Structure formats: C-alpha cells, structure tokens
Amino acid sequence: MESIFGIAVDGVAYGMILFIISVGLSVTLGLMRVVNLAHGAFAMVGGYVASYAAQGAGLPYGVALVVAVVLTVLATLPLERLLYRRIYGSANELAQVLLTIGLTFVIVAGMNYLFGPTLKRIPLPELLTGTVELGPKAIPTHRAFVIAAGAATLVGLWWLLERTDFGIRLRAAVDDPAMAAALGIRTERLYLATFALGTGLAALGGVLGAELLPLEPYYAIRYIVLFLAVVAVGGAGSIFGSAAAALALGIVDTAGKYLIPNFGEFFFYAALILILFRWPHGFFKGRTA
Amino acid sequence: MTRTLRNALLGAAFGLALAAGPAGAATIKVGVIAPFSGPFAMFGKTFKEGIAQYQAEHGKTVGADTVEFVFRDLEQTNPAQAKALAQELIVKERVSFLAGFAFTPDAMAVAPLIDEANIPAVVFNAATSAITEKSPRFVRTSFTLWQNTVPLAEHMAKQGIKTAVTAVSDYGPGLDGEAAFKATFEKNGGKVADTIRMPLKSNDFAPFMQRIKDTGAEAVYAFLPAGPTTLAFAKAFADNGLKDKGVKLFGPGDITQEPDLPALGDAVLGMTTSFHYSRAHDSAVNKAFLAKHKELFGNDDNATFTTVGAYDGTHLIYQMIRNGGGKIDGAKAVESVKGLSWESPRGPVTIDPNSRHITQTIYLRTVEKVGNRLENVEKAAFEKQPDYGYKLAK
C-alpha cells in the first residue's frame, strides 16, 4: 500500500515537471502552429541563466528564477522577429522543423563553448531542501514545491487564455488571422506575446526541473522527445490535455521503473503508442484546425 | 638529463641501424577514438589533456621518431562507427596504434581490425572485463568494475553490513559490477536483497529509491557511468530520505568523479567509493602531475581518472615505440610491455602479463570538504588489485 502511494506521489511530481516544460511547447504549437523543436534549448538556456545568476552572481533562488525567465524571454524575442515570423502557420512544417532543429544545434554548441560540458547546478535555498511527510511517504520538499508550481501554472494559464481580453484576441487571431486583423487586432503583437509566453514557460520549467533533468549542453536534444510526447498525447494547444498527458506518462513511467526496472523506457513508449492509438489527436483535441 | 641523452643516443643508433630499412626517422601516428563532442565530451577533453600533458613532459619524439596523435570524434557509443573510424585511421592515416575508447562496445568492435592489421590498441577507459579477451593486442590502463568492486564489497562486509541492494546501469560494466558485488558480498556472509538494473537513460530515480527503501537493506551498491545521470541519482538518494534513514551508499568512483563534484555538492558529502585515482592522492608524483596540469591548462579542476588513464596510456605507447626501436610490430609491441611497472599519479602500477590489464592500488575514499572544494579523500588502500573478472572468466 505504501509503495502504491509512493509511486503515485513520485509519478505526479515527475509528471508536473514534464507539464511545466511541455505546456509552453503546447502553447506555441497549438496556438501559433509552430513546431518549435528549440523549446528544449530555451528551457536549457533558462536553467543556465539561473545557474549563473545563483552561483556566479550570488542571487537568491527566487530572484535567479525571475531573472532567468525574463532574460531568456528577452534573449529569444529577436529570434521571433528575425526567424520565427517567417515560419508561422502550418503550411511549411518542413521549414519549421529544419529551422528550429538547426537553432537547437547552434544553442547546444554555444552553451558547450561558453560553459563547458560539465553539469551545472542551481543551488536550492534552505527552505526547499529536505523532505516533507505526505502521509506515509516522505517526498523531497523541492518536489512538493514543483507540484504546487505546476498547479499554479495550470490555473494561471487557463485564466489567461480563457478569461482575459488577451486570450480572447489571441484565439480570434489564431482562428482567422485575416478577419482578426480586419477587426483591428494587432496580430503581430499577439504572436510576439504568445511566443514570449511559451519561451517563459520553457525557462521556468528548465529552472524548476533542473534537479530532475540535470543541466548540461545536451539537455536540449536529450529531453525534447519527452516534451513532444506530452504534447502529442495531450493534444496541441490544450492546457488541461498537457497536464493530463504529463501526469499519465509520469505515473506510467514511474510505476514501470519501480515494478520492472529491467524493461527500461518500455512502459513510457508503450503507453504513448496505446494512447495515440485510441486518441490519435491527443486526450483533448486542441485548437489546431 | 643523462637519460634523455642516452635515449637520444640510442635513438640515433637505432636510426642508423634502420637506415637501410624502409624509413629512418619517421612519424609514428596514434589514432585516438573518443567522444570529443556530444554529451560525453568530457572523456575526449580529458583524454586530450592527458596526452598533451605527457607529450609536454616527455617530448614529442621517441628516439628519432616523432609521435603524432590523430583524433577521431565518436559522439556516442556506436560500435559500427567506431569500426569505420578505426578502419579509416588504419588504412588512410596509417596509424601504428589505436587508443582512446570511452565505452565498451566501441572497443569490442575494433578487435578484429587490430588483429588483422596487427596494431596494438590501448584502452583509456572502457571498463568491461571481457574487452582484453577479445584480442591479444588490447592493453588497458583504466580499471574494471570487478577490480573496483571486489575490495569494496569485502570492505562493506567487514563493516558489519548484512544486507545490501545493487542498483546499476543496465549495460556491460553495470552487469559486471552487479556480478562482482553479488559474488564477493555473499562469499563474505552478506545478503543481496534485490538487484536493480536501471535503464541508461533514466531521468527520474525516485522509483528506484522507493524500491530500495522497500527492501529495508542497510546499504546500496550503485554504479552509473560518470555523467549527467549520476547527479540525479545522488540527489534522489539524499532527497528521498534514504541518507537520513541511515542507508549507506557505496559504489565505484564514477559516481563522484572530480569534474562533477562541484555540481553534486553536499548530496554526496560523506559518500564512500572505491577507485583507482583521486585528485587528493598524496604522492610526489601526483602533486607534480597536478602542478603541471595546472600550468598547462590554467586549472586542475578537470584532472580526473580519465586524464590519468590517457596519461598512462600514452606512457605505454611511448614504451612500446622505444622497445621496438621505432619499428612497430603489434604483437611484439604488446609482448614488450607485459609486466611493465611504473609509478603513475595514481600510485604503483603494473601491466598484468596475462590479462594485459593494469594492476593497481584501489583506494577507499570518502567525499570531504578540503578547504573550499570537495575532494575524494583516501581512507584505505588495497594494493596490487588485478582484474578479478578476467581470472574468473578463465
């Protein structure tokens, strides 16, 4: 019984980290129809900035987190202007894949050159170290914090996209850009804001998840498959879909590893195949046309 | 100085003797296959530094011949690619030696090639016992899991530990480690409660920790190859309350290799490992080695077991060239270094004539703060450890 509870808690914590990073990808893919394979690289950049801010500049964890998100967004906005703007829309998927995977390699090489191939660490504050008792199971305080942060992200995003003026305009611009523009909605600005949102979420996930997905230059390539799996299962553009998918995959992976570790990643991919077989467009069909 | 002079004279004499042969003073090439880019680039970087340091200390010539290293990048473990690179090095570059090899499958793949071309291959890292059995032309200057694990398991049993769990990465060296631990620990009266094999690509180690906890074992024997996953593993161990519960974590030193120590931080403080090299090793040779390393590369942060593996490997290659008088016959060259002993930065070492693997002292180390940095501080030494895996296979 204790083991089952333990698996559930560990699975949820792992799933929440996957969710925070993947939902940004889901937003850019679902709402803007860009297959942004550089998403993992943006998460990595966020993690590196936080690591540098905390260790090199000696900032406290919370400040380093904010600095990382802001700087990553600022650093990637020119990319939106110069590169991404040319590949919006689903007409040229090959161009999107080629551009974003190329960008990933450039970022990987750059990080490797600047910071070296060793692991980078984001030191946790006193408050987040140690463990908290959750019924019969003790879980790391940091994971409890990540679960809370994931839940907050979920609610915040839902509110932003469903209940605010920004969300309404954005959905209009996505559904019919020409009509939205004719109505006076400045679609270009909206796209810029959405791109910033996606990148910011990536950076946030990169920082929060650094304990589980360690920061090193190949982070960008190593984990992108996980993030894509979550988006595929959840349905692009669906926030709740991403959450459900991340949790389901997190729990399946954790249970598989606990029960039959020799099978490796088998259960993760088996679950992926079965779910996509049943729901080819993901749990919740998103806003993609 | 007199030695260099004598070597120079000898070299000149050999040069004259060989003048009638195909070449007098020549360039002898050594092909190095290792990851220089990609997630395991640390191996390539440390290999390169180890070689460069040896050449800086001992010159680029042996006798009249210049030794030139040719590097080939093998980003991840990929036996087919390793074979192709080896072939290219042998046929196109005309190398007289192969060296490097971070991972077992890559080294295994070149065995038929080095036999056919009759050239020696010096393994700087790959640590599965079976490698040197694949070809009589393999010589290894790193370590094996058996070599490290046997004394560690004996030590654990002596400490009064009765039950243990093994948690190893699911590939060659991991399985070697598991077998070595189980055999030794049980022979010494211990009980292995569970053998967990973790996928090489694991990210989240919480489920394994839960499983370890459920067995109620007193200690864990863990092996993961040095790299990003060791960080997550060590952290998960501390974060899931196992450390606080008093469960002891042991393993070969890959898990606390020097370049990773700053990132691992307090999570591995007090962790005991067994290994053949620590930067904190207290000997004149090691101090000189680290001082030179710092002089050459600005700091000695990355000086680690793979640097020493390459450094000693280069020493072997130089010896083989010297013994052959500039003429390289693979089988004879390997024969000529069998039983060779010297003082390495890790301590006294010998090439075992049977297994062609390095016999060395295995140290028991604990991670401690020395000044501002974390170091693997040596607590005990087990001298002249052979590769137990090779013996058992016979």
Side-chain angles (χ1 to χ4, degrees):
Chain A
M1 192 58 217
E2 196 198 317
S3 317
I4 296 172
F5 187 70
I7 292 171
V9 173
D10 284 333
V12 169
Y14 184 43
M16 272 302 183
I17 288 174
L18 289 183
F19 165 70
I20 296 180
I21 304 184
S22 309
V23 74
L25 182 61
S26 186
V27 165
T28 38
L29 182 60
L31 297 184
M32 301 165 72
R33 295 174 202 156
V34 183
V35 187
N36 185 16
L37 295 180
H39 191 76
F42 294 161
M44 178 177 85
V45 171
Y48 268 77
V49 174
S51 169
Y52 184 78
Q55 292 199 295
L59 298 174
Y61 186 75
V63 182
L65 178 68
V66 175
V67 167
V69 172
V70 172
L71 279 186
T72 309
V73 170
L74 287 181
T76 48
L77 277 187
L79 295 178
E80 200 272 348
R81 280 270 150 146
L82 296 171
L83 300 175
Y84 281 85
R85 186 157 293 182
R86 298 162 197 267
I87 56 163
Y88 283 154
S90 51
N92 46 357
E93 276 141 357
L94 182 64
Q96 295 180 351
V97 169
L98 291 178
L99 177 82
T100 53
I101 199 83
L103 193 60
T104 306
F105 284 125
V106 171
I107 294 175
V108 165
M111 285 295 165
N112 207 352
Y113 179 76
L114 287 176
F115 296 98
T118 49
L119 296 173
K120 295 292 168 291
R121 192 169 67 102
I122 308 172
L124 291 174
E126 199 71 17
L127 201 66
L128 292 181
T129 52
T131 55
V132 283
E133 300 288 332
L134 217 78
K137 161 93 178 157
I139 68 161
T141 315
H142 175 258
R143 285 202 175 195
F145 170 68
V146 168
I147 294 177
T153 309
L154 181 64
V155 175
L157 268 180
W158 169 81
W159 178 79
L160 184 70
L161 292 180
E162 298 293 328
R163 287 283 180 273
T164 62
D165 196 37
F166 168 75
I168 293 165
R169 282 161 190 265
L170 179 66
R171 282 179 284 138
V174 166
D175 284 343
D176 194 339
M179 181 53 100
L183 289 172
I185 296 176
R186 303 178 72 167
T187 51
E188 289 204 342
R189 276 194 188 180
L190 274 177
Y191 284 154
L192 190 70
T194 314
F195 183 82
L197 180 68
T199 316
L201 286 168
L204 179 71
V207 179
L208 290 177
E211 296 282 305
L212 216 63
L213 312 177
L215 292 166
E216 35 95 28
Y218 287 82
Y219 181 108
I221 297 162
R222 202 184 284 259
Y223 304 121
I224 191 73
V225 177
L226 288 179
F227 310 148
L228 286 171
V230 170
V231 174
V233 169
S238 165
I239 295 159
F240 288 105
S242 288
L247 290 180
L249 291 175
I251 291 170
V252 166
D253 194 39
T254 303
K257 277 181 182 156
Y258 176 83
L259 298 169
I260 319 172
N262 297 12
F263 273 53
E265 312 252 272
F266 172 79
F267 292 103
F268 183 87
Y269 291 107
L272 186 66
I273 291 167
L274 287 177
I275 294 171
L276 289 180
F277 187 68
R278 172 65 186 79
W279 294 280
H281 297 285
F283 283 151
F284 295 80
K285 197 163 172 288
R287 292 188 189 286
T288 34
Chain B
M1 193 61 220
T2 46
R3 211 170 125 195
T4 6
L5 206 76
R6 204 173 61 208
N7 284 339
L9 278 173
L10 271 175
F14 274 122
L16 281 176
L18 287 172
T27 300
I28 294 175
K29 284 187 175 174
V30 182
V32 182
I33 299 174
F36 293 100
S37 69
F40 302 102
M42 207 63 205
F43 283 110
K45 186 178 157 72
T46 49
F47 285 174
K48 224 174 200 169
E49 288 181 349
I51 294 166
Q53 178 163 354
Y54 192 86
Q55 289 208 306
E57 287 171 11
H58 297 86
K60 289 197 162 131
T61 53
V62 181
D65 304 307
T66 309
V67 186
E68 188 192 328
F69 285 83
V70 188
F71 299 95
R72 286 291 180 276
D73 185 15
L74 182 66
E75 197 175 301
Q76 303 207 354
T77 175
N78 182 348
Q81 173 96 21
K83 207 170 168 182
L85 288 174
Q87 194 148 21
E88 191 234 308
L89 283 166
I90 295 168
V91 176
K92 263 180 74 188
E93 296 284 340
R94 304 206 162 275
V95 297
S96 308
F97 295 89
L98 282 180
F101 306 108
F103 301 106
T104 300
D106 306 329
M108 297 263 204
V110 305
L113 281 178
I114 58 173
D115 279 342
E116 199 179 322
N118 188 26
I119 64 168
V122 182
V123 178
F124 289 173
N125 184 66
T128 309
S129 286
I131 293 174
T132 54
E133 290 162 31
K134 294 286 173 198
S135 160
R137 288 170 186 81
F138 273 126
V139 191
R140 177 163 47 193
T141 55
S142 53
F143 68 104
T144 67
L145 269 296
W146 276 91
Q147 188 173 34
N148 265 299
T149 306
V150 169
L152 180 67
E154 281 169 356
H155 165 79
M156 285 167 68
K158 267 191 206 130
Q159 295 276 299
I161 295 169
K162 292 269 172 286
T163 55
V165 175
T166 63
V168 300
S169 285
D170 197 1
Y171 78 126
L175 304 188
D176 262 15
E178 183 190 290
F181 183 81
K182 207 164 183 303
T184 317
F185 194 59
E186 286 181 345
K187 205 172 79 191
N188 286 279
K191 190 173 157 280
V192 176
D194 197 1
T195 51
I196 302 171
R197 293 177 181 178
M198 305 176 291
L200 257 180
K201 280 166 78 190
S202 300
N203 308 316
D204 183 15
F205 289 93
F208 306 124
M209 297 304 157
Q210 182 67 36
R211 204 178 153 118
I212 291 167
K213 217 190 242 176
D214 290 351
T215 63
E218 297 162 64
V220 182
Y221 166 83
F223 166 75
L224 298 101
T229 44
T230 55
L231 174 75
F233 182 87
K235 278 214 169 303
F237 185 81
D239 287 349
N240 284 273
L242 285 159
K243 203 176 176 186
D244 296 335
K245 260 195 164 176
V247 181
K248 294 191 183 86
L249 179 59
F250 296 90
D254 294 76
I255 218 166
T256 60
Q257 71 151 339
E258 277 80 7
D260 287 344
L261 277 176
L264 288 162
D266 294 349
V268 291
L269 211 54
M271 185 174 160
T272 301
T273 55
S274 62
F275 222 33
H276 54 288
Y277 179 71
S278 158
R279 192 169 51 195
H281 178 61
D282 189 18
S283 78
V285 175
N286 187 42
K287 287 210 174 91
F289 172 78
L290 287 177
K292 185 77 184 174
H293 196 88
K294 203 166 188 169
E295 181 194 318
L296 288 173
F297 307 110
N299 62 55
D300 58 9
D301 290 346
N302 293 333
T304 187
F305 68 101
T306 46
T307 320
V308 176
Y311 183 81
D312 287 338
T314 312
H315 177 71
L316 263 188
I317 290 168
Y318 270 50
Q319 289 302 323
M320 284 192 253
I321 297 171
R322 195 162 290 143
N323 293 337
K327 214 173 169 192
I328 311 299
D329 176 313
K332 277 188 199 150
V334 172
E335 201 61 44
S336 76
V337 291
K338 281 185 180 176
L340 183 75
S341 298
W342 72 97
E343 170 88 11
S344 153
R346 61 182 114 171
V349 293
T350 306
I351 298 297
D352 183 87
N354 296 318
S355 66
R356 284 158 281 112
H357 173 76
I358 197 159
T359 299
Q360 57 194 334
T361 309
I362 297 297
Y363 304 92
L364 195 71
R365 315 100 45 91
T366 305
V367 180
E368 286 176 6
K369 271 222 164 89
V370 179
N372 258 340
R373 73 206 284 180
L374 295 167
E375 293 280 17
N376 290 303
V377 180
E378 289 167 4
K379 297 291 176 189
F382 310 102
E383 279 173 24
K384 297 203 176 111
Q385 298 292 319
D387 173 23
Y388 297 97
Y390 191 83
K391 270 189 187 162
L392 285 179
K394 292 291 119 179

